[in-house]
Structures are given as structure tokens and as C-alpha cells.
Amino acid sequence: MLVKEFSGKSEKDAISKALEELNLTEEQVRIEVVEKGKRNLFGIGEETPTVIRVYYEEISENLGEFKSIVSDILKYMGITAEVTAKEESGSRIYINVSTEDSGVLIGKKGSTLEALQFLVSLIASKHFGEDEERHVILDIDGYRERREETLKHIARQAAQQAKKTRRAVVLEPMSPYERRIIHLELQNDKDVETKSDGEPPYRRVKVFSKNGGYNNRRYNNNNNRNRNSYKPYYRNK
């Protein structure tokens, strides 16, 4: 835990200076007022500044760099936004963008967000090197978290459908990030298995019942002969 003192004409002014200098948000710090500002008798003369003490965790150099990169991209796009970053684990950096233009940045079915994610991931791979296992996840106003819950629900529904009908259930085309969520959600279900199939950007997840037998094999044979003839069971709403 790091500690630093700041002063300003008011508590608000001191906090503003601290957050700007530290490149942090108010949620990332703990603030203690050391001395309240005072004016001389009758409010005449110079005022005594307010002094605050700020407690904060040291943010790695990588977080600061990627916050700046994302902020610059948004600036070039003409988007006003607040960018925050946190290290969720030793190999994952989560960057969230808060803006009134979230709809523009997310795009239809998250298409614009995925394009921005691809750009940031390219920068990350050049920065860290391909040999280092590190992921930078870009989010817009918590969209990914909401989408992740939706995908988990879709995965569970697909598993139930596959077990009930003993036929393969094919989901809509998804990004690698979204397909991974489906695979992870069902990896502990002993009655189903999942497989990614197709070419980007139409790569999708299939959910099979392990007891599907003939129906699954027949589906696979038909699907190999005519990949585009099958209508996905689930679609985005």
C-alpha cells in the first residue's frame, strides 16, 4: 500500500489533483482528510489549503500503458470516456471503458467491441511477446459481464436440449472469447461435450449429448456435406 499527501483549495480540489496525478479513480483509493482548509478572520486574506492523504495500490507499468493506449484510440474516434484498468490475475488485464457512447463502441452484437478487442490484443502481443501468456480484456460499461451471463445461460439451455433430443445443438457464430465461455461452462457436465467448428467469422460451438449415438453421427455426416444448410438453434435477441 502506497501513501501520498495532496493539498488544494478544497477537499474536492485536492482529490481531483490526486486522482489526476496518480491516474486512478476514486474507487481505487482510500482518502483521509488530514487538515481542513481555513480562511482568516471574516474570510479575509489567504486561505489555508485542505490537505488529504491518499492510500493506493501501486499499479503496474503495463496497466498504465494500456489505459493510455485505449484512451488514445478513443480520442482519435472522437469518443469521450473514462478508462479504468485492473489486473485480475497474474496473466489477465481487464480494461473497462465508461462512456455515454457505449452503444457506438459495442456495435451490433458486440461487433465493434470485438474489433477494438482485436486491435488491443495485437498491441498486447507486440508489447509482451507471443511467448508470454498474458491477456488484455477490453469491456464497455460492463457489457462483457452481462454478455457472459447470457452465454452461460445459452450454454446450459443447449446442453439440456442436446441431452433431451440426443441431437447436436449448434449455436450462433461467436468470437473466440465467447466460444471459450461456452466450453468452460459445460466442461464439467459429464453428459455433453462441446466442439468448435467452421471458419472465422462463422466459427461456432456445437453441443453434443455423449449418449447421442446415431443421431449425432448422422448430423455430423449431413453437416459435413452441407455446412450452410443447418439453421442455428439459438440466436442473439
Side-chain angles (χ1 to χ4, degrees):
M1 179 73 70
L2 301 178
V3 183
K4 193 169 183 178
E5 291 190 356
F6 295 86
S7 63
K9 294 180 179 180
S10 64
E11 181 179 339
K12 184 178 180 180
D13 181 53
I15 292 173
S16 178
K17 288 180 179 179
L19 297 180
E20 182 178 356
E21 181 175 324
L22 298 174
N23 197 24
L24 297 172
T25 65
E26 199 161 345
E27 291 75 23
Q28 294 174 303
V29 301
R30 181 166 63 85
I31 297 170
E32 174 188 348
V33 178
V34 178
E35 184 179 345
K36 280 281 190 181
K38 298 178 182 178
R39 287 184 176 274
N40 289 338
L41 189 62
F42 305 118
I44 300 174
E46 294 185 0
E47 61 180 7
T48 301
T50 295
V51 179
I52 63 171
R53 187 172 292 135
V54 180
Y55 299 84
Y56 62 99
E57 296 288 348
E58 184 175 14
I59 292 185
S60 71
E61 182 181 349
N62 292 326
L63 290 185
E65 285 187 38
F66 279 100
K67 279 183 64 176
S68 297
I69 289 169
V70 172
S71 296
D72 287 343
I73 292 173
L74 297 176
K75 184 163 57 176
Y76 292 137
M77 294 175 66
I79 301 290
T80 301
E82 179 184 357
V83 181
T84 57
K86 61 181 178 179
E87 211 156 355
E88 293 192 328
S89 66
S91 62
R92 175 167 161 161
I93 294 175
Y94 179 87
I95 300 175
N96 186 62
V97 176
S98 181
T99 175
E100 294 181 357
D101 297 313
S102 58
V104 175
L105 291 179
I106 294 170
K108 186 177 181 181
K109 296 182 180 180
S111 58
T112 306
L113 173 57
E114 288 306 321
L116 290 171
Q117 173 69 62
F118 178 73
L119 179 60
V120 172
S121 295
L122 269 182
I123 296 171
S125 65
K126 291 183 179 297
H127 180 84
F128 297 120
E130 295 182 359
D131 295 334
E132 185 171 348
E133 185 69 19
R134 188 173 287 262
H135 303 285
V136 179
I137 305 300
L138 179 64
D139 200 0
I140 311 294
D141 283 327
Y143 169 81
R144 284 195 187 278
E145 184 177 350
R146 299 191 300 273
R147 176 64 173 158
E148 184 171 327
E149 289 304 312
T150 299
L151 289 170
K152 288 179 179 180
H153 178 69
I154 289 174
R156 293 191 294 269
Q157 281 191 320
Q160 291 177 358
Q161 184 74 9
K163 286 184 278 190
K164 181 179 180 181
T165 63
R166 294 191 176 184
R167 293 180 182 273
V169 176
V170 181
L171 304 182
E172 63 187 11
M174 296 178 186
S175 67
Y177 175 80
E178 293 189 335
R179 293 198 307 273
R180 183 172 181 271
I181 292 172
I182 300 293
H183 291 307
L184 289 176
E185 180 65 17
L186 298 180
Q187 68 179 353
N188 293 324
D189 191 325
K190 298 179 180 179
D191 296 321
V192 298
E193 59 183 327
T194 60
K195 177 183 177 183
S196 289
D197 188 49
E199 297 296 327
Y202 304 107
R203 195 162 174 78
R204 61 190 73 201
V205 176
K206 296 177 185 176
V207 182
F208 302 90
S209 167
K210 290 184 178 179
N211 300 317
Y214 173 73
N215 286 329
N216 273 342
R217 291 196 298 271
R218 182 177 64 178
Y219 171 80
N220 286 334
N221 291 334
N222 290 338
N223 192 58
N224 288 333
R225 288 195 297 269
N226 187 2
R227 188 177 301 277
N228 296 321
S229 65
Y230 189 84
K231 184 178 180 181
Y233 185 81
Y234 292 105
R235 293 180 178 275
N236 258 349
K237 294 182 179 179

